[in-house]
Amino acid sequence: MVISPFHKARGDYQPRFPSSLTDLSQLRGATAVAEAHPWSVDPAAKSDLHAHFPHTFRQVDQGILELTQAQGTSQASERPLRVGVLLSGGPAPGGHNVIWGLHDALTASRRPFELVGFLGGAGGLLNNRSRLLTHEDLVDYRNTGGFDLLGTGRTKIETSEQCAKAREVSARHELDALVIIGGDDSNTNAARLAEYFKASGAKTAIIGVPKTIDGDLKNRFIETTFGFDSAVRLYSELISNIARDALSGRKYYHFIRLMGRAASHITLECALQTQPTITLIAEEVAARQLTLAEVVEQLATVIKARASQGRDYGIILVPEGLIEFIPEMRSLIQELNHLLAEHKDYISTLSGFTEQSEYVHRKLTRDASYTFSSLPLDIQRQLLMDRDPHGNVALSRVETEKLLIELVQSHLKEEKVAGRYSGSFGYQHHFLGYEGRCIGPSNFDADYAYSLGRTAAALAAVGANGYMAVMRDLASPPEHWRPGGVPLLAMMTFERRHGQAVPVLRKGLVELGGRAFGYFSEHRDAWAESDSFRFTGPIQYFGPSYLTDRVPLSLALERGLSKETHW
Amino acid sequence: MVISPFHKARGDYQPRFPSSLTDLSQLRGATAVAEAHPWSVDPAAKSDLHAHFPHTFRQVDQGILELTQAQGTSQASERPLRVGVLLSGGPAPGGHNVIWGLHDALTASRRPFELVGFLGGAGGLLNNRSRLLTHEDLVDYRNTGGFDLLGTGRTKIETSEQCAKAREVSARHELDALVIIGGDDSNTNAARLAEYFKASGAKTAIIGVPKTIDGDLKNRFIETTFGFDSAVRLYSELISNIARDALSGRKYYHFIRLMGRAASHITLECALQTQPTITLIAEEVAARQLTLAEVVEQLATVIKARASQGRDYGIILVPEGLIEFIPEMRSLIQELNHLLAEHKDYISTLSGFTEQSEYVHRKLTRDASYTFSSLPLDIQRQLLMDRDPHGNVALSRVETEKLLIELVQSHLKEEKVAGRYSGSFGYQHHFLGYEGRCIGPSNFDADYAYSLGRTAAALAAVGANGYMAVMRDLASPPEHWRPGGVPLLAMMTFERRHGQAVPVLRKGLVELGGRAFGYFSEHRDAWAESDSFRFTGPIQYFGPSYLTDRVPLSLALERGLSKETHW
């Protein structure tokens, strides 16, 4: 690694954090208060959760741990506080700041401490690959993107053997707390680990930190995850650059697929930021039970209307998860996955696409077979031939933007022959994903992640096993944010997986009744009709505060803030 | 268009410009000086150029017009100065600033004037689609990317009918000058138009302004084009974000194709900025006469060496034009283009890829047929089935990064079976192009483009027909830049096209003997062996000058500046 002038200058930014986290005597052993609050994100799951988590369930009723300064008591301790930390899953801007905040809070506690970083995600914990983290180790990682300080991984701690191994390694390091920075899966597993540790008398408290650029780890307690703001601001910048291009050359529709399989938060925020011609929101497609043909017709209708005004160009945003939200496609994919698993050995004897395709058609239901054959050949090939590591259809490799282009193109050809369209359909396709996962955090994410790190340290000091560090009132200035700990179980629900109901952290989808979607749906017709592109520019880290200290527009809308202040 | 806070704040930036352009009494009719200088970029072309451009040839011997303040004389004139302007070809950051600079200089001249913008490129001139440009029209376009103020187009003014039409429209507007902002093709045509106008006694002076993000309009007189800096800084940011991602997850090689078909300047500058694992420079591949198999082996050698250190990840930069620089591929493409043109009607009767492919194989030479069949099927299909508007192989749609991935993957499979490779080869592919063409200009480009606009106004005032606005000493602060006008003919050479030698502006390729390439080739082995990624961050428009006022690293190196100051 070579330090560029930007890298160096940005490292000097001191993140802001809630004033309630200033007095770090808390870390000498604060007691926390329970806030009165409705039970959880899914009250109906209460008794089943109790059954799955008998040892940690009680804390759900105790409520949120509010870390208020007044509550800090001064139980001085000379016993070192030992904290482990790991990064899990896809990187998100701000991950290094969580660790930095954790380290700063531990340092400021004036109590001896050790911070142990596990390398390469949960795998590093299971294999006991770790390093001690000092101030010097962190200097070059302050306010940087990426998870490269420790690396990350996708290993999941699920089996009881893995839990036992995690316990053994935690004990070997004499950890008082283990901070797991991850998404919904990692935090689901953190809840299981917390239960296992409690049940088996381990002294290590498991603490989660909510990370994901996708924004789908979102609920009553989590207003947004760290990383989301920075990633969407990069994507929005790129989208608005492309919109300028479309407007300059006036000859292409740009189909832009955006990361986010489980939910369309990124796409919605980018739409609010850039005001594109058409935006597909997967949750809406699912709610309206649209078929692929109907989605295509929707696009074609706008394109035809614009052609009649002489506008043969535009910007179309497509969430990565779209096809899984189209009911007929979802069924097809489920059938295919089932087939590929059940007849794996036989299918592997079939040479090439044509033979496999014939075989699969014979096995699919009539509906699925019809859906499959209505897809362009390239997409059929991708669905059938690319497999993910679990042997399933590799959906992340399916180029949905190209699928839509092919289908729209054929549809418009027919319309042209029928005399209902006289424009010319030029296109370009883009996928925005990896470019944004490791951008340096915006001030918002730098502050938020750093504050979460300080919060995690406070939770570690009070031994808050099975809690997630959260920060509320995020649309206020950081000094007024309200840090706290929420029982992981309070965010859980049950999902059916392989025929069984399993407890998981509930995914936060785009709420079609929410204010952010509401604003979008009120304005989208105007955006489609004439060009209302909004050019956002790259993230500015220096300069006037109204540029550097912005919050996501969807967050501002959801928190009821006025458009004028936050637009 | 909606004005975002960033858009508004950035509009307030006042571009810097050479102090010699401050006193705009020049515009009242400056005389310019000839600078002693060697004849042109291609002295051997002298007599042929003379034959093609009998009326404008003489100016080449008169040399460069240096616009020095001392030379400004005060021939006051109350006759309005009428200037036309058009944007041509792909957009480049700074285009709007050229027009703004032009307008500001005309305003400051205290002489009445009209600035006429032609819409949609040269097509707007031929069809006389235009608008008068006032200060108010420009306010929201200051320091913005894109060519959307006027639009752009790819229409070329080549035939004498087109020249006559251009003359007629220019006369109707009583233009003293027509400023053509474009790349090498547009400026080649500007030279022809200047000759035509001179020959036919038109009073309009044709003035070129060098634009292109590709950086290939580069020679002794043009140190770089406007737009290059901003585009490469965006690409470099994205590459370094992806490098962080590679380093965090440690499981993918990212193959990143970069815009730039005719030359690899973008790729080279991005390599200097980000220090990736492997960078292919098309000019070097051509000079070393590498085959595709050799390029693949080169990549595989690095990948194998890294695998033995446990590094199964990295960043590989691929210039868009690569395959056209590989001799065997170049021949294949030429043969294919020839075949597709000659047997167009017959080929169109053949249904689908298989039949066409069989036919083509029978017609190709043995070498070309061998090369063709060694390509992955997807690429064969792209080469054969996608055509550009001229009926040629649609090279811009060929996904070279995927081609390399497929070939490297098969090669590594063989190596694994042979026991010479034990790593795992995961990959992702990216194409960076449209995202960068319309980013808001960096300070360097904002200043440079604005200064070129002011220079073009000065050239218009002296009626410098057939000149290009240039700016030299670009690595110095803008106040010290040396503005001037260079005869377009001094930049021309002859190229064989369709069997004929035609005069064209010489393409500036990456010089393998130059300092920028030299720095790269000295360091690339170290970059391949260990990770030396450099994270550049997004363009900063506010903040310390050492961040906001940077120049391209290749320019700094070529101008002999020290690494310390400009790194």
Side-chain angles (χ1 to χ4, degrees), chain A residues 411-435:
Chain A
H411 183 92
L412 289 173
K413 264 187 200 157
E414 285 178 46
E415 292 292 288
K416 190 165 247 173
V417 171
R420 286 188 295 262
Y421 170 63
S422 58
S424 86
F425 179 68
Y427 61 85
Q428 295 289 341
H429 54 85
H430 312 263
F431 171 50
L432 303 181
Y434 290 95
E435 296 87 343

mmCIF file of all heavy atoms in Angstrom, chain A residues 411-435:
data_model
loop_
_atom_site.group_PDB
_atom_site.id
_atom_site.type_symbol
_atom_site.label_atom_id
_atom_site.label_comp_id
_atom_site.label_asym_id
_atom_site.label_seq_id
_atom_site.Cartn_x
_atom_site.Cartn_y
_atom_site.Cartn_z
ATOM 1 N N HIS A 411 -39.817 -6.204 -28.389
ATOM 2 C CA HIS A 411 -41.146 -5.612 -28.241
ATOM 3 C C HIS A 411 -41.283 -4.366 -29.124
ATOM 4 O O HIS A 411 -42.277 -4.196 -29.834
ATOM 5 C CB HIS A 411 -41.382 -5.263 -26.771
ATOM 6 C CG HIS A 411 -42.743 -4.724 -26.479
ATOM 7 N ND1 HIS A 411 -43.790 -5.526 -26.098
ATOM 8 C CD2 HIS A 411 -43.239 -3.465 -26.530
ATOM 9 C CE1 HIS A 411 -44.874 -4.784 -25.913
ATOM 10 N NE2 HIS A 411 -44.559 -3.526 -26.165
ATOM 11 N N LEU A 412 -40.255 -3.520 -29.110
ATOM 12 C CA LEU A 412 -40.326 -2.278 -29.892
ATOM 13 C C LEU A 412 -40.301 -2.563 -31.393
ATOM 14 O O LEU A 412 -40.910 -1.836 -32.177
ATOM 15 C CB LEU A 412 -39.185 -1.337 -29.501
ATOM 16 C CG LEU A 412 -39.299 -0.700 -28.107
ATOM 17 C CD1 LEU A 412 -38.031 0.079 -27.771
ATOM 18 C CD2 LEU A 412 -40.527 0.204 -28.002
ATOM 19 N N LYS A 413 -39.600 -3.625 -31.780
ATOM 20 C CA LYS A 413 -39.597 -4.009 -33.199
ATOM 21 C C LYS A 413 -41.016 -4.325 -33.661
ATOM 22 O O LYS A 413 -41.459 -3.888 -34.728
ATOM 23 C CB LYS A 413 -38.700 -5.247 -33.422
ATOM 24 C CG LYS A 413 -37.306 -4.901 -33.879
ATOM 25 C CD LYS A 413 -36.528 -6.165 -34.244
ATOM 26 C CE LYS A 413 -35.038 -5.874 -34.210
ATOM 27 N NZ LYS A 413 -34.238 -7.096 -34.007
ATOM 28 N N GLU A 414 -41.707 -5.081 -32.833
ATOM 29 C CA GLU A 414 -43.101 -5.405 -33.169
ATOM 30 C C GLU A 414 -43.951 -4.140 -33.242
ATOM 31 O O GLU A 414 -44.765 -3.971 -34.146
ATOM 32 C CB GLU A 414 -43.716 -6.327 -32.108
ATOM 33 C CG GLU A 414 -43.237 -7.751 -32.190
ATOM 34 C CD GLU A 414 -43.855 -8.587 -31.061
ATOM 35 O OE1 GLU A 414 -45.079 -8.478 -30.828
ATOM 36 O OE2 GLU A 414 -43.097 -9.327 -30.411
ATOM 37 N N GLU A 415 -43.740 -3.258 -32.270
ATOM 38 C CA GLU A 415 -44.517 -2.020 -32.233
ATOM 39 C C GLU A 415 -44.250 -1.163 -33.460
ATOM 40 O O GLU A 415 -45.125 -0.473 -33.956
ATOM 41 C CB GLU A 415 -44.187 -1.224 -30.962
ATOM 42 C CG GLU A 415 -44.666 -1.881 -29.684
ATOM 43 C CD GLU A 415 -46.180 -1.900 -29.597
ATOM 44 O OE1 GLU A 415 -46.784 -0.837 -29.379
ATOM 45 O OE2 GLU A 415 -46.748 -3.001 -29.788
ATOM 46 N N LYS A 416 -43.001 -1.240 -33.914
ATOM 47 C CA LYS A 416 -42.634 -0.441 -35.094
ATOM 48 C C LYS A 416 -43.365 -0.972 -36.323
ATOM 49 O O LYS A 416 -43.954 -0.198 -37.089
ATOM 50 C CB LYS A 416 -41.113 -0.492 -35.292
ATOM 51 C CG LYS A 416 -40.611 0.478 -36.338
ATOM 52 C CD LYS A 416 -39.102 0.664 -36.229
ATOM 53 C CE LYS A 416 -38.770 2.077 -35.778
ATOM 54 N NZ LYS A 416 -37.351 2.276 -35.509
ATOM 55 N N VAL A 417 -43.338 -2.279 -36.481
ATOM 56 C CA VAL A 417 -44.033 -2.900 -37.605
ATOM 57 C C VAL A 417 -45.528 -2.556 -37.553
ATOM 58 O O VAL A 417 -46.163 -2.281 -38.570
ATOM 59 C CB VAL A 417 -43.821 -4.429 -37.598
ATOM 60 C CG1 VAL A 417 -44.721 -5.106 -38.625
ATOM 61 C CG2 VAL A 417 -42.350 -4.757 -37.875
ATOM 62 N N ALA A 418 -46.054 -2.537 -36.341
ATOM 63 C CA ALA A 418 -47.481 -2.231 -36.181
ATOM 64 C C ALA A 418 -47.771 -0.730 -36.311
ATOM 65 O O ALA A 418 -48.918 -0.299 -36.162
ATOM 66 C CB ALA A 418 -47.975 -2.746 -34.832
ATOM 67 N N GLY A 419 -46.719 0.063 -36.515
ATOM 68 C CA GLY A 419 -46.920 1.503 -36.698
ATOM 69 C C GLY A 419 -47.154 2.272 -35.416
ATOM 70 O O GLY A 419 -47.624 3.403 -35.434
ATOM 71 N N ARG A 420 -46.827 1.654 -34.280
ATOM 72 C CA ARG A 420 -47.067 2.343 -33.014
ATOM 73 C C ARG A 420 -45.799 2.942 -32.405
ATOM 74 O O ARG A 420 -45.813 3.449 -31.302
ATOM 75 C CB ARG A 420 -47.703 1.369 -32.007
ATOM 76 C CG ARG A 420 -49.167 1.069 -32.300
ATOM 77 C CD ARG A 420 -49.801 0.266 -31.170
ATOM 78 N NE ARG A 420 -49.205 -1.068 -31.049
ATOM 79 C CZ ARG A 420 -49.740 -2.170 -31.578
ATOM 80 N NH1 ARG A 420 -50.858 -2.116 -32.265
ATOM 81 N NH2 ARG A 420 -49.132 -3.331 -31.419
ATOM 82 N N TYR A 421 -44.701 2.862 -33.137
ATOM 83 C CA TYR A 421 -43.421 3.369 -32.611
ATOM 84 C C TYR A 421 -42.550 3.740 -33.794
ATOM 85 O O TYR A 421 -42.422 2.963 -34.755
ATOM 86 C CB TYR A 421 -42.748 2.278 -31.766
ATOM 87 C CG TYR A 421 -41.326 2.559 -31.354
ATOM 88 C CD1 TYR A 421 -41.020 3.641 -30.522
ATOM 89 C CD2 TYR A 421 -40.277 1.728 -31.758
ATOM 90 C CE1 TYR A 421 -39.710 3.883 -30.122
ATOM 91 C CE2 TYR A 421 -38.969 1.960 -31.358
ATOM 92 C CZ TYR A 421 -38.690 3.041 -30.534
ATOM 93 O OH TYR A 421 -37.405 3.278 -30.141
ATOM 94 N N SER A 422 -41.997 4.943 -33.739
ATOM 95 C CA SER A 422 -41.162 5.325 -34.868
ATOM 96 C C SER A 422 -39.803 5.850 -34.413
ATOM 97 O O SER A 422 -39.071 6.462 -35.174
ATOM 98 C CB SER A 422 -41.872 6.396 -35.694
ATOM 99 O OG SER A 422 -42.138 7.494 -34.843
ATOM 100 N N GLY A 423 -39.475 5.600 -33.154
ATOM 101 C CA GLY A 423 -38.178 6.056 -32.647
ATOM 102 C C GLY A 423 -37.056 5.105 -33.028
ATOM 103 O O GLY A 423 -37.258 4.140 -33.765
ATOM 104 N N SER A 424 -35.853 5.416 -32.545
ATOM 105 C CA SER A 424 -34.774 4.444 -32.725
ATOM 106 C C SER A 424 -34.270 4.072 -31.341
ATOM 107 O O SER A 424 -34.085 4.946 -30.478
ATOM 108 C CB SER A 424 -33.670 5.020 -33.608
ATOM 109 O OG SER A 424 -32.766 5.745 -32.830
ATOM 110 N N PHE A 425 -34.110 2.778 -31.132
ATOM 111 C CA PHE A 425 -33.766 2.288 -29.792
ATOM 112 C C PHE A 425 -32.293 1.903 -29.722
ATOM 113 O O PHE A 425 -31.902 0.819 -30.121
ATOM 114 C CB PHE A 425 -34.662 1.095 -29.437
ATOM 115 C CG PHE A 425 -34.372 0.490 -28.090
ATOM 116 C CD1 PHE A 425 -34.645 1.203 -26.918
ATOM 117 C CD2 PHE A 425 -33.824 -0.777 -27.978
ATOM 118 C CE1 PHE A 425 -34.374 0.647 -25.670
ATOM 119 C CE2 PHE A 425 -33.553 -1.349 -26.731
ATOM 120 C CZ PHE A 425 -33.829 -0.625 -25.575
ATOM 121 N N GLY A 426 -31.456 2.828 -29.243
ATOM 122 C CA GLY A 426 -30.041 2.527 -28.978
ATOM 123 C C GLY A 426 -29.895 2.273 -27.489
ATOM 124 O O GLY A 426 -30.671 2.808 -26.694
ATOM 125 N N TYR A 427 -28.938 1.476 -27.115
ATOM 126 C CA TYR A 427 -28.833 1.145 -25.688
ATOM 127 C C TYR A 427 -27.384 0.917 -25.269
ATOM 128 O O TYR A 427 -26.509 0.642 -26.094
ATOM 129 C CB TYR A 427 -29.644 -0.118 -25.382
ATOM 130 C CG TYR A 427 -29.143 -1.304 -26.159
ATOM 131 C CD1 TYR A 427 -28.082 -2.063 -25.687
ATOM 132 C CD2 TYR A 427 -29.700 -1.651 -27.386
ATOM 133 C CE1 TYR A 427 -27.592 -3.127 -26.418
ATOM 134 C CE2 TYR A 427 -29.211 -2.712 -28.119
ATOM 135 C CZ TYR A 427 -28.152 -3.450 -27.634
ATOM 136 O OH TYR A 427 -27.650 -4.480 -28.363
ATOM 137 N N GLN A 428 -27.153 1.067 -23.995
ATOM 138 C CA GLN A 428 -25.913 0.682 -23.334
ATOM 139 C C GLN A 428 -26.311 0.028 -22.025
ATOM 140 O O GLN A 428 -27.373 0.351 -21.479
ATOM 141 C CB GLN A 428 -25.022 1.901 -23.039
ATOM 142 C CG GLN A 428 -24.509 2.629 -24.265
ATOM 143 C CD GLN A 428 -23.459 1.844 -25.034
ATOM 144 O OE1 GLN A 428 -22.838 0.915 -24.508
ATOM 145 N NE2 GLN A 428 -23.287 2.199 -26.297
ATOM 146 N N HIS A 429 -25.477 -0.879 -21.535
ATOM 147 C CA HIS A 429 -25.800 -1.494 -20.247
ATOM 148 C C HIS A 429 -24.638 -1.341 -19.276
ATOM 149 O O HIS A 429 -23.478 -1.256 -19.683
ATOM 150 C CB HIS A 429 -26.152 -2.972 -20.420
ATOM 151 C CG HIS A 429 -25.085 -3.736 -21.134
ATOM 152 N ND1 HIS A 429 -23.993 -4.264 -20.497
ATOM 153 C CD2 HIS A 429 -24.927 -4.018 -22.446
ATOM 154 C CE1 HIS A 429 -23.221 -4.862 -21.386
ATOM 155 N NE2 HIS A 429 -23.746 -4.728 -22.574
ATOM 156 N N HIS A 430 -24.978 -1.282 -18.011
ATOM 157 C CA HIS A 430 -23.996 -1.058 -16.954
ATOM 158 C C HIS A 430 -24.388 -1.876 -15.725
ATOM 159 O O HIS A 430 -25.562 -2.110 -15.498
ATOM 160 C CB HIS A 430 -23.980 0.410 -16.520
ATOM 161 C CG HIS A 430 -23.913 1.386 -17.657
ATOM 162 N ND1 HIS A 430 -22.742 1.944 -18.087
ATOM 163 C CD2 HIS A 430 -24.871 1.907 -18.461
ATOM 164 C CE1 HIS A 430 -22.982 2.760 -19.108
ATOM 165 N NE2 HIS A 430 -24.261 2.758 -19.347
ATOM 166 N N PHE A 431 -23.395 -2.263 -14.964
ATOM 167 C CA PHE A 431 -23.665 -2.840 -13.653
ATOM 168 C C PHE A 431 -22.815 -2.090 -12.636
ATOM 169 O O PHE A 431 -21.597 -2.022 -12.772
ATOM 170 C CB PHE A 431 -23.332 -4.339 -13.627
ATOM 171 C CG PHE A 431 -23.386 -4.936 -12.250
ATOM 172 C CD1 PHE A 431 -24.482 -4.726 -11.426
ATOM 173 C CD2 PHE A 431 -22.337 -5.706 -11.756
ATOM 174 C CE1 PHE A 431 -24.544 -5.256 -10.146
ATOM 175 C CE2 PHE A 431 -22.387 -6.246 -10.473
ATOM 176 C CZ PHE A 431 -23.487 -6.019 -9.670
ATOM 177 N N LEU A 432 -23.461 -1.501 -11.675
ATOM 178 C CA LEU A 432 -22.726 -0.776 -10.647
ATOM 179 C C LEU A 432 -22.776 -1.570 -9.347
ATOM 180 O O LEU A 432 -23.855 -1.784 -8.787
ATOM 181 C CB LEU A 432 -23.325 0.619 -10.427
ATOM 182 C CG LEU A 432 -23.388 1.516 -11.664
ATOM 183 C CD1 LEU A 432 -23.990 2.870 -11.302
ATOM 184 C CD2 LEU A 432 -22.007 1.703 -12.281
ATOM 185 N N GLY A 433 -21.602 -2.014 -8.911
ATOM 186 C CA GLY A 433 -21.571 -2.816 -7.706
ATOM 187 C C GLY A 433 -20.234 -2.681 -7.005
ATOM 188 O O GLY A 433 -20.087 -1.869 -6.094
ATOM 189 N N TYR A 434 -19.269 -3.429 -7.512
ATOM 190 C CA TYR A 434 -17.964 -3.480 -6.848
ATOM 191 C C TYR A 434 -17.282 -2.125 -6.743
ATOM 192 O O TYR A 434 -16.485 -1.893 -5.843
ATOM 193 C CB TYR A 434 -17.052 -4.468 -7.576
ATOM 194 C CG TYR A 434 -17.500 -5.889 -7.386
ATOM 195 C CD1 TYR A 434 -18.313 -6.514 -8.303
ATOM 196 C CD2 TYR A 434 -17.148 -6.590 -6.237
ATOM 197 C CE1 TYR A 434 -18.758 -7.810 -8.110
ATOM 198 C CE2 TYR A 434 -17.577 -7.884 -6.023
ATOM 199 C CZ TYR A 434 -18.393 -8.496 -6.965
ATOM 200 O OH TYR A 434 -18.822 -9.768 -6.754
ATOM 201 N N GLU A 435 -17.622 -1.212 -7.663
ATOM 202 C CA GLU A 435 -16.997 0.115 -7.634
ATOM 203 C C GLU A 435 -17.287 0.844 -6.331
ATOM 204 O O GLU A 435 -16.555 1.756 -5.955
ATOM 205 C CB GLU A 435 -17.548 0.987 -8.776
ATOM 206 C CG GLU A 435 -17.242 0.505 -10.162
ATOM 207 C CD GLU A 435 -18.263 -0.490 -10.694
ATOM 208 O OE1 GLU A 435 -19.018 -1.046 -9.865
ATOM 209 O OE2 GLU A 435 -18.286 -0.721 -11.902
#
